[in-house]
Amino acid sequence: MRGTVIGFDSFEYYALSDVGIRRPHNQDAHAVILAKNSDQWRDEGHLLVVADGMGGHAVGEKASQKAAGEIPLTFLKYAHDGVATALRRAFIETNTAIHSIGQKNKEFQGMGTTSSALVLRPEGAWIAHVGDSRIYRIRDEKIDQLTFDHSYVWEMARRQKIAPEEVQGIKSNVIVRSLGPDALVQVDVEGPHPLEAGDVFVLCSDGLSGPVSDSEIGAVASLMPPEEACQFLVQLANLRGGPDNITVMIIRIGRQNSSAAGNRSLRDALRKAHWSIPVLALGVALTLVALLVAALINRILGLMLFLLAGISSVVGLIGLTLHARADQKKRDAQRRPANLNTYRSFPCDIDRGVVEKLARANEDLRDKVKEAYPQLIPETFAELQAEGLDWLKKGNLQDAFREFCRAMHELAKAYNKMRTRSEMFQPVWEKKKKQA
């Protein structure tokens, strides 16, 4: 989707889920709920969710679909309590629902799912997270991982104060926290992360973050349109074996539209008015009526009406004051930064070395495919590769990078349809990882 979405002058997003090469069924799920008007933008925001099910194909699929369906609905139900509270309750109640299904049916025992949710609102980006699906932010040629992997590897790395890649002897896919297996779950809720025009957010399951590095994800998502980037990243993960289901969502935002919050109609304003306002208005109206009755009809009746007017006005003022204080407290809590963590950062800028490696990787892939399936080489591959080389000669590295990615995508798309599960290709074109 591309165009103007409430809250921003430009907003692009795309979501794609793929079964991968090795798995027979897709246990991933995702959901996107966009605010439709300025009230929803201010009170609820835009919500995006990714979930990766576990526990056998039918069980995992049911768990992830439950998360993708229940989290948005529950969040919207509690949004009036504040975004952090609403996100936490959405995850906790969804966990209870999934756990209950597993307890009632032996076939579903142990069912679970990871889930990561991103909420974009006027004050910034909020994140809720359980498991090892990830949320990234790309800004200023750097990709930041905003979620902590709830895996045994990451837990051991935290205890030993080393990088997860340095942990030895532990399988990387052992999850220590997810929705469903246990009656209680701890949810990471963080935000608001301030937004800047040009920010790119990536939500993905580990089917992408496993085969494809953070730097590669950042480079592709920052330089290609969201739809093309999602499609290429999925093909790249499959090219490298596609060992798991792959889900990726990419969102690119523009400048915030400051006038969005002020575009409410009078009807919406009246509909959302607190009860104290009409009570206070009734007190004012009764005061006027009491004065008229006392002057023209009966002073005693006028005095009684004036007493009712006073009671109504006092009750209205008390209610309005309490409501204003509660509303201000909620807004202060939403705007106050809390737990703003960037768990890892990697550069994702493009230099000549990266582009040249990508060009050579394309040639290696072409030779590999030509040897096994000569009829699969699409004509578009040569055209895109030539365009990339032309841009490279001119020194336009970003355009060269895009064209080489498009060339690899065309070839990988054809190859991944025909290849066996055991075949894979590892194009090496990223820079050496340097944690920021």
Side-chain angles (χ1 to χ4, degrees), residues 20-35:
I21 300 299
R22 304 289 182 86
R23 300 292 179 89
H25 301 278
N26 195 345
Q27 299 179 59
D28 287 359
H30 63 278
V32 178
I33 307 294
L34 299 179

Side-chain angles (χ1 to χ4, degrees), residues 37-203:
N37 55 54
S38 57
D39 288 331
Q40 290 182 351
W41 162 240
R42 185 192 65 250
D43 298 335
E44 301 163 3
H46 306 308
L47 173 65
L48 304 99
V49 180
V50 164
D52 179 1
M54 303 172 293
H57 74 85
V59 176
E61 184 177 351
K62 187 176 184 65
S64 65
Q65 289 179 349
K66 187 75 172 174
E70 291 292 325
I71 288 174
L73 292 177
T74 311
F75 170 77
L76 296 177
K77 183 171 67 173
Y78 293 115
H80 62 276
D81 293 330
V83 62
T85 299
L87 280 171
R88 184 167 282 106
R89 294 188 71 170
F91 272 65
I92 290 174
E93 291 192 12
T94 299
N95 177 76
T96 300
I98 296 174
H99 181 72
S100 178
I101 294 173
Q103 293 297 106
K104 293 177 181 178
N105 191 328
K106 290 184 179 180
E107 296 180 0
F108 294 151
Q109 283 184 356
M111 67 186 296
T113 182
T114 71
S115 191
S116 297
L118 172 69
V119 177
L120 300 177
R121 289 167 44 94
E123 71 274 11
W126 292 82
I127 288 168
H129 170 67
V130 173
D132 66 346
S133 293
R134 292 180 177 178
I135 298 178
Y136 297 98
R137 181 191 61 208
I138 304 166
R139 177 190 293 172
D140 297 332
E141 299 184 325
K142 184 175 69 173
I143 181 169
D144 300 322
Q145 184 175 339
L146 303 181
T147 51
F148 182 91
D149 285 8
H150 298 139
S151 66
Y152 193 30
V153 167
W154 273 57
E155 289 292 344
M156 292 301 296
R158 176 161 59 180
R159 295 177 187 179
Q160 299 176 28
K161 297 181 180 181
I162 60 176
E165 292 81 11
E166 298 176 25
V167 177
Q168 301 293 326
I170 299 176
K171 292 183 178 180
S172 60
N173 62 347
V174 179
I175 305 302
V176 297
R177 197 190 305 179
S178 60
L179 298 179
D182 300 314
L184 301 176
V185 67
Q186 182 181 349
V187 187
D188 291 352
V189 178
E190 304 184 14
H193 294 269
L195 299 174
E196 293 184 9
D199 280 350
V200 177
F201 290 91
V202 179
L203 290 78

